[in-house]
C-alpha cells in the first residue's frame, strides 16, 4: 500500500509527461533506455516516461513492449464502428499512458513476458465485457465489441446515496451513473476512485466520459487496489502475490482468474452458478488470450476461471426484515 500511495502521488508528474509520451512512437526505444541501480540489495530500474520511478518491475519489459497497437486494435476491432456508442473515444495511447502510472507497481510488468501478457488480457477482458454492446449486434461476433460504450446510456437514477453525505457528498447537479472502462456507479465510488487517482471525480464525474486516459486510469486503479485492507486486489490475486487463508480455501477462493471477478463484483457475478455475467467475462478472457498469441489453453482449467461456487469476499448485505405492523 505504501508503494501504491507513492504511485498516486506521482500522477501529476506523469501528467506533465503526457505530451512527451504522445510524441513517442509506440515502438520507439529512444526514450525507454533502461537505467539500473542497486537499492538495499534489490535491482531497480527506470524506463523513461513509461516506467518512470525506481522499481524492480521497471527492469522487465513494459506494457507497450508486450502489448502493441495492432493487438489493441485486434481486441477492440469494432469499437469505432458506426453503431458503437463511443466512436473515437478509446485508443491505445490513452491505455498506455494510464498503464504507465501503475507499471512501477507491477501492472503488466510482473513476472516474465508470458505473465505480463496474461495480466493485460485478464484486465482488458473485464473491460471488454463491461463495455461491450455485443448482445445486440452480430457483425464480428459478440466478443469483438468491447469498448463500445463509455457511459450508461439510459440511467434510471442519479445514483446519489445520502448515507455518504459527510465523506462523499453529492455535488449539485452531478449524476453518478455508470461511466468508464470498468464502469463506476454511485457518489461514494466516484469519490473513492477520485481520491485514488487524484482527480476530482466527485464534483466532475463527467471526466470519465470525456477523457479516455482518466477512464482507463480509474479502471487500473480499481484493478490494483483492495477494497478492504485485509483483502487482495485483483492484480495481487492474478499474479500470485496473494496467499489464500484457510477460510478463503474453504469458500473456494484462490489465486485464480475467477477470484478477480469475485473481488471486483462480489455476489453480483460469483456464487450464483454458471450465470451469463460470469461466463461473458470468461469468454472475453479466453478470446483475448487467443488474439494475443498466448492461447486459451494457458488460462488453466475451468474451475480456476469460474467463480460459480465461490463465496463473495464482500457479500451484499441482506435487506432489513419488514417490521410487524
Amino acid at each position: 500500500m505504501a508503494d501504491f500511495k507513492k504511485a498516486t502521488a506521482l500522477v501529476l508528474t506523469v501528467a506533465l509527461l503526457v505530451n512527451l509520451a504522445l510524441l513517442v512512437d509506440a515502438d520507439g526505444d529512444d526514450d525507454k533506455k533502461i537505467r539500473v541501480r542497486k537499492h538495499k540489495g534489490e535491482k531497480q530500474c527506470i524506463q523513461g516516461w513509461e516506467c518512470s520511478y525506481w522499481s524492480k518491475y521497471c527492469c522487465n519489459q513494459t506494457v507497450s513492449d508486450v502489448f502493441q497497437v495492432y493487438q489493441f486494435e485486434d481486441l477492440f476491432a469494432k469499437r469505432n464502428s458506426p453503431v458503437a456508442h463511443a466512436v473515437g473515444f478509446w485508443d491505445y495511447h490513452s491505455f498506455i499512458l494510464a498503464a504507465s502510472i501503475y507499471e512501477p507497481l507491477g501492472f503488466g510488468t510482473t513476472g516474465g513476458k508470458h505473465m505480463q501478457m496474461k495480466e493485460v488480457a485478464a484486465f482488458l477482458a473485464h473491460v471488454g465485457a463491461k463495455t461491450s454492446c455485443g448482445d445486440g449486434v452480430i457483425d464480428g461476433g459478440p466478443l469483438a465489441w468491447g469498448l463500445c460504450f463509455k457511459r450508461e446510456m439510459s440511467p434510471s437514477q442519479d445514483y446519489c446515496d445520502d448515507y455518504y453525505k459527510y465523506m462523499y457528498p453529492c455535488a449539485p447537479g452531478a449524476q453518478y451513473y455508470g461511466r468508464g472502462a470498468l464502469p463506476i456507479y454511485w457518489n461514494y465510488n466516484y469519490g473513492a476512485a477520485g481520491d485514488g487517482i487524484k482527480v476530482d471525480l466527485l464534483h466532475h464525474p463527467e471526466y470519465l466520459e470525456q477523457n479516455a486516459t482518466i477512464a482507463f486510469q480509474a479502471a487500473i486503479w480499481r484493478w490494483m487496489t483492495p477494497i478492504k485492507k485485509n483483502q487482495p486486489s485483483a492484480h495481487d490475486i492474478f499474479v500470485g502475490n496473494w496467499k489464500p487463508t484457510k477460510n478463503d480455501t474453504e469458500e473456494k477462493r484462490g489465486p485464480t482468474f475467477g477470484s478477480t471477478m469475485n473481488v471486483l463484483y462480489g455476489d453480483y457475478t460469483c456464487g450464483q452458478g454458471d450465470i451469463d455475467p460470469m461466463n461473458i467475462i470468461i469468454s472475453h478472457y479466453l478470446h483475448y488470450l487467443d488474439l494475443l498469441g498466448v492461447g486459451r489453453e494457458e488460462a488453466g482449467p475451468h474451475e480456476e476461471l469460474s467463480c460459480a461456487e465461490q463465496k463473495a469476499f464482500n457479500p451484499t448485505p441482506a435487506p432489513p426484515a419488514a417490521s410487524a405492523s
Side-chain angles (χ1 to χ4, degrees):
M1 291 301 294
D3 283 346
F4 177 77
K5 291 177 181 177
K6 181 179 178 182
T8 54
L10 292 173
V11 169
L12 293 178
T13 302
V14 173
L16 295 175
L17 296 172
V18 166
N19 288 334
L20 171 62
L22 290 174
L23 294 174
V24 178
D25 183 83
D27 295 320
D29 295 324
D30 291 345
D31 292 293
K32 288 177 57 178
K33 183 178 180 181
I34 300 178
R35 296 163 56 196
V36 183
R37 76 174 186 182
K38 282 279 190 176
H39 181 68
K40 296 182 179 179
E42 178 183 76
K43 181 182 177 182
Q44 297 180 339
C45 301
I46 285 177
Q47 290 198 53
W49 62 268
E50 190 175 352
C51 215
S52 60
Y53 73 85
W54 293 107
S55 166
K56 65 180 182 180
Y57 299 110
C58 293
C59 299
N60 297 330
Q61 294 185 84
T62 64
V63 171
S64 70
D65 292 327
V66 303
F67 181 66
Q68 298 180 6
V69 176
Y70 77 92
Q71 293 167 310
F72 183 90
E73 297 299 329
D74 286 346
L75 266 56
F76 304 111
K78 297 295 182 179
R79 75 186 191 283
N80 289 324
S81 296
V83 296
H85 300 280
V87 174
F89 182 71
W90 302 106
D91 65 280
Y92 174 81
H93 264 115
S94 295
F95 171 67
I96 294 299
L97 288 174
S100 70
I101 299 169
Y102 300 94
E103 290 184 45
L105 291 175
F107 176 72
T109 51
T110 297
K113 181 178 180 181
H114 186 74
M115 172 57 76
Q116 293 175 253
M117 295 182 73
K118 286 180 65 176
E119 184 180 12
V120 170
F123 169 75
L124 291 176
H126 286 275
V127 170
K130 293 297 180 179
T131 59
S132 176
C133 57
D135 289 345
V137 295
I138 57 174
D139 182 26
L143 302 179
W145 289 86
L147 297 180
C148 175
F149 292 106
K150 62 179 179 177
R151 54 161 289 179
E152 183 180 0
M153 296 305 296
S154 300
S156 59
Q157 56 179 307
D158 59 10
Y159 297 96
C160 175
D161 188 342
D162 277 341
Y163 181 82
Y164 296 89
K165 63 183 178 182
Y166 296 110
M167 182 176 291
Y168 296 121
C170 300
Q175 294 184 307
Y176 300 99
Y177 54 77
R179 298 178 177 90
L182 287 179
I184 297 175
Y185 297 80
W186 296 101
N187 53 305
Y188 49 89
N189 288 324
Y190 275 86
D195 288 348
I197 68 172
K198 307 302 181 190
V199 175
D200 187 6
L201 296 180
L202 188 64
H203 290 88
H204 297 284
E206 70 277 5
Y207 287 169
L208 290 181
E209 59 180 292
Q210 293 175 348
N211 186 303
T213 300
I214 293 176
F216 275 127
Q217 185 183 342
I220 299 172
W221 172 85
R222 179 68 188 88
W223 177 262
M224 298 293 291
T225 307
I227 291 178
K228 296 180 179 178
K229 289 183 179 180
N230 63 341
Q231 293 179 358
S233 66
H235 164 78
D236 284 334
I237 289 171
F238 189 81
V239 301
N241 290 341
W242 171 62
K243 304 303 179 186
T245 65
K246 181 179 178 182
N247 184 63
D248 289 314
T249 302
E250 289 174 351
E251 295 182 345
K252 309 294 186 182
R253 299 188 294 263
T256 63
F257 180 80
S259 291
T260 69
M261 292 187 282
N262 189 328
V263 80
L264 291 174
Y265 318 120
D267 49 20
Y268 290 102
T269 301
C270 299
Q272 309 292 332
D274 284 317
I275 60 174
D276 283 347
M278 179 192 75
N279 287 325
I280 288 170
I281 299 170
I282 295 172
S283 294
H284 277 80
Y285 179 46
L286 297 176
H287 182 59
Y288 288 1
L289 287 176
D290 285 343
L291 290 178
L292 294 182
V294 177
R296 66 181 58 209
E297 63 275 6
E298 296 297 318
H302 180 73
E303 56 266 26
E304 294 184 1
L305 295 169
S306 171
C307 63
E309 297 182 6
Q310 293 183 15
K311 185 174 180 180
F313 280 101
N314 299 292
T316 303
S323 59
S325 57

